[in-house]
Amino acid sequence: MNSIERMKAAIELKPVDRVPNAPFYEAPICTYFGSSMRAALMESQAMVDAHLQAVEEFQFDWAIMGMNLIGGIIPAALGCRVVYPENELPQILETAVKTIDDVEKVANSDIFTDHMEEFLKGVSKLHTRLKGQVPLAAEYISPFTIATRLRGTNEIMSDMYENPGLVKELQEAIVPLNISVGKALADAGVEYIFYGADMECPVLLSPNHYKEFVHEPTSKVCNELSRLGLKVLPHMCGNIVKSGIVDMLLEMDIHGIMPGNLTQENVFDIRELKEKVKERICVFDNINPNGPLLIGNPEEVKKKTREHLERAKGMSGYIFSTAGTSAPTTPKENFTAMNNEVLNFEWA
Amino acid sequence: MSLADILNAVVSFNKDAVVENVTKEISNKTDVDDILNKGLIGAMDVVGENFSRGDIFVPEMLQSAKAMQAGLEVLKPHLASDAAGQKGTVVIGTVKGDLHDIGKNLVSMMVEGAGFNVIDLGVDVDIEKFIAETQIHNADVLCLSALLTTTMPVMEKTVKAVIEAGLKTKTIVGGAPVTATYADQIGSDGFSKDAPGAVALIRKLISAA
């Protein structure tokens, strides 16, 4: 099996020749292989070079990009003031939505800015260079999480009680723009959408607020991305089973779920998620990117990785991954230890 | 009418009821320290417990904090000038390179709600500014927040800078990617996974000093 076949089989809950290996590696590989983080995230050729080196050295089963897309390019296109430091992730210096009057400006934004076009050019180039062997994935964010970028997190969280109309109208304005980005990603060669739902996770929002404010715009976006042929993979931290969020996600056209951290030191139990979703969709494992991987040594990383793999052994529709973005300061020897353990694990 | 009404009004984030009840208790000559400690601060302890248990979430916590602040504004003119800061001084900020503020703001509100004098330096704070403000305010505790794994290393540099500056100030760290192990590794005095935990930790560190 090549990586495209392996990932496809896992997504369809069919047998695989080895564990599909699809961690969130973008930030570390900017450090390992990029001339600078900004270049590896923002300049199409540097982006392609860094990902090609990473895929070749680590034999990842996907190439995933887009930290700058969700953190800088989209917020900037929709009116935020954003800077792109040389060796850090993009930073939002000023939000775009001060009052409900600003929602119309968001709705009328041209999201295909020069930065967006350069990013899409990088995606397209990488797709060509991977020669149909390794699938492409993109980081992506929900309308609600984009809304927190545009308005400010505290403001949106307060608006849910004080100005609920703004929260809904802002997301309504974002939905078609977000879908147009999804379509452009698909056109550029992306197959998998890592649908980040950072700010509506059950650590921060009640299930009732999720249902009232988030469920409808998320359904619209996920269903449309799926209709475009993309494989949609929502990612969320917190106890997504107990909170009932999984039940709401399963109402949508999604293809897998990527659970994140339960607390800073613990991740959501992959077996508990599997029992919930059964044979309906695939599950991504979630080794803690802030645990031994970041602050331990290779032996500790190897042990933790093996624990995850042993717990999942025999599970259909299983893909190994990290519980979100790995830090750029993740030691390369730790990343290598994790990777080798996954590649050499006897799955059958 | 009682202090319990103030507490309940904050917990249920009824700002008007908080203001009304604080005003009435002042008129009734209730000890203002009791209104502060048993009413407003006591309420935020309950709010913190509810948040830690997962009974309430960030929007509700923010509403309670705003209700508490409204009550505090009514009470402030009646408090002794140093009453708000009598428990100790806490400097807080999100480290350099990180512009996220929700966790930092929640901690700031909860710590202020617990009666500490809080100096909130905002986001993207230089190490030099942390040190200078900690010295100026003779802070008991310095709280460092980071949401990004990319900015966590700045916490270590800041903690080292506090030690190198010879300050007695305790440092604590928190934020989504931060763990107790990481806190130990960088030499900070403590870690909290959430805002209520930060209040408890600050109380413990100051009482032990």
Side-chain angles (χ1 to χ4, degrees):
Chain A
M1 282 180 157
N2 66 22
S3 293
I4 285 184
E5 293 162 345
R6 189 173 297 114
M7 287 292 284
K8 184 172 183 290
I11 289 280
E12 293 173 356
L13 290 88
K14 292 177 180 168
V16 288
D17 60 338
R18 67 161 170 78
V19 178
N21 183 29
F24 290 89
Y25 66 75
E26 194 175 16
I29 67 108
C30 289
T31 309
Y32 306 157
F33 306 119
S35 54
S36 74
M37 184 166 276
R38 195 194 63 75
L41 291 173
M42 302 295 294
E43 296 169 15
S44 59
Q45 192 55 53
M47 191 192 306
V48 171
D49 292 343
H51 282 277
L52 283 176
Q53 286 185 70
V55 168
E56 185 179 348
E57 179 164 335
F58 292 106
Q59 298 175 55
F60 295 134
D61 284 312
W62 71 5
I64 183 165
M65 56 193 69
M67 292 179 76
N68 58 329
L69 178 71
I70 63 175
I73 293 173
I74 291 176
L78 301 183
C80 292
R81 191 157 67 86
V82 178
V83 291
Y84 304 92
E86 200 60 31
N87 279 305
E88 293 168 21
L89 293 169
Q91 295 174 9
I92 298 171
L93 296 185
E94 191 178 346
T95 56
V97 178
K98 311 293 185 204
T99 72
I100 200 158
D101 295 336
D102 294 323
V103 172
E104 195 177 339
K105 288 184 207 161
V106 171
N108 294 326
S109 299
D110 176 8
I111 204 160
F112 293 100
T113 57
D114 290 347
H115 281 318
M116 179 70 84
E117 296 294 355
E118 179 70 9
F119 173 73
L120 291 168
K121 190 172 152 189
V123 173
S124 188
K125 275 186 185 179
L126 185 58
H127 179 245
T128 304
R129 294 288 299 277
L130 290 170
K131 297 174 183 167
Q133 296 293 309
V134 180
L136 274 179
E139 293 210 26
Y140 192 88
I141 44 173
S142 68
F144 184 81
T145 297
I146 294 177
T148 64
R149 305 266 206 276
L150 302 185
R151 170 89 170 125
T153 306
N154 278 25
E155 287 75 9
I156 283 286
M157 296 285 181
S158 295
D159 289 337
M160 296 176 94
Y161 280 100
E162 297 166 14
N163 197 358
L166 187 150
V167 184
K168 291 181 179 176
E169 284 186 34
L170 182 54
Q171 288 184 90
E172 279 172 24
I174 292 166
V175 165
L177 297 164
N178 217 17
I179 290 171
S180 68
V181 172
K183 184 172 186 314
L185 290 168
D187 291 344
V190 166
E191 289 181 52
Y192 295 91
I193 291 289
F194 164 78
Y195 187 93
D198 307 354
M199 304 313 293
E200 58 259 50
C201 70
V203 177
L204 302 177
L205 278 198
S206 68
N208 286 343
H209 270 155
Y210 183 91
K211 191 167 188 178
E212 182 183 353
F213 290 98
V214 182
H215 187 48
E216 186 183 328
T218 289
S219 297
K220 282 181 185 171
V221 172
C222 288
N223 292 347
E224 185 59 18
L225 294 178
S226 183
R227 199 189 64 76
L228 290 167
L230 292 157
K231 301 285 186 288
V232 184
L233 313 166
H235 164 76
M236 205 183 277
C237 289
N239 194 328
I240 54 177
V241 171
K242 186 181 166 194
S243 62
I245 300 286
V246 164
D247 297 303
M248 288 187 258
L249 291 174
L250 289 172
E251 292 172 13
M252 305 172 201
D253 292 333
I254 60 169
H255 302 83
I257 292 181
M258 323 179 78
N261 283 58
L262 205 52
T263 67
Q264 285 93 333
E265 293 184 312
N266 298 307
V267 294
F268 191 72
D269 181 2
I270 200 76
R271 278 275 166 200
E272 190 180 342
L273 179 61
K274 182 64 181 176
E275 282 165 23
K276 180 72 187 173
V277 304
K278 298 193 164 55
E279 299 300 301
R280 167 119 185 245
I281 55 172
C282 79
V283 293
F284 280 67
D285 208 344
N286 53 354
I287 195 166
N288 188 352
N290 306 312
L293 187 61
L294 178 63
I295 56 177
N297 59 45
E299 276 308 307
E300 290 165 333
V301 173
K302 196 175 161 185
K303 182 168 174 275
K304 180 57 74 179
T305 306
R306 181 159 283 271
E307 280 172 19
H308 274 256
L309 294 167
E310 292 286 0
R311 182 142 180 80
K313 194 166 184 175
M315 191 184 282
S316 58
Y318 172 82
I319 296 173
F320 182 83
S321 191
T322 49
T325 308
S326 311
T329 49
T330 304
K332 193 175 177 187
E333 61 271 24
N334 286 0
F335 219 90
T336 302
M338 176 182 77
N339 211 58
N340 289 343
E341 199 63 21
V342 177
L343 296 179
N344 296 323
F345 186 75
E346 289 185 18
W347 182 249
Chain B
M1 212 50 62
S2 71
L3 295 174
D5 292 327
I6 295 174
L7 186 146
N8 290 333
V10 172
V11 171
S12 58
F13 45 91
N14 185 338
K15 196 191 284 184
D16 292 341
V18 174
V19 170
E20 184 187 338
N21 287 318
V22 170
T23 305
K24 282 182 181 170
E25 288 302 315
I26 293 168
S27 302
N28 291 342
K29 309 287 184 203
T30 302
D31 186 335
V32 290
D33 285 341
D34 282 348
I35 298 174
L36 178 67
N37 292 313
K38 295 179 183 170
L40 298 173
I41 292 175
M44 289 310 287
D45 286 342
V46 174
V47 169
E49 288 163 13
N50 291 344
F51 182 77
S52 293
R53 273 202 309 272
D55 293 340
I56 63 165
F57 298 84
V58 171
E60 292 77 27
M61 200 170 176
L62 285 170
Q63 293 299 308
S64 281
K66 287 183 178 185
M68 187 270 183
Q69 288 293 339
L72 194 58
E73 287 306 311
V74 176
L75 195 62
K76 263 182 184 170
H78 304 275
L79 291 167
S81 59
D82 65 341
Q86 64 190 354
K87 291 173 188 282
T89 296
V90 174
V91 169
I92 185 168
T94 305
V95 298
K96 184 71 186 165
D98 201 323
L99 295 155
H100 295 87
D101 61 3
I102 187 163
K104 185 268 298 171
N105 288 350
L106 286 172
V107 173
S108 183
M109 282 189 286
M110 289 292 291
V111 174
E112 190 172 7
F116 294 93
N117 179 32
V118 175
I119 312 298
D120 188 338
L121 303 180
V123 298
D124 192 26
V125 181
D126 289 326
I127 293 173
E128 295 75 19
K129 188 170 183 183
F130 272 125
I131 301 299
E133 294 292 328
T134 298
Q135 286 174 319
I136 290 167
H137 298 283
N138 193 24
D140 299 287
V141 178
L142 171 62
C143 303
L144 305 172
S145 171
L147 181 78
L148 303 173
T149 49
T150 51
T151 54
M152 280 169 64
V154 183
M155 286 180 155
E156 183 174 9
K157 289 178 187 169
T158 310
V159 169
K160 278 186 181 159
V162 169
I163 295 166
E164 283 166 10
L167 302 178
K168 298 272 193 281
T169 307
K170 303 290 185 189
T171 55
I172 67 171
V173 294
V178 183
T179 63
T181 312
Y182 181 73
D184 283 346
Q185 193 182 56
I186 66 172
S188 75
D189 295 297
F191 154 82
S192 173
K193 68 181 176 66
D194 58 21
V199 173
L201 178 60
I202 289 166
R203 282 178 178 148
K204 188 177 157 193
L205 288 172
I206 289 181
S207 66

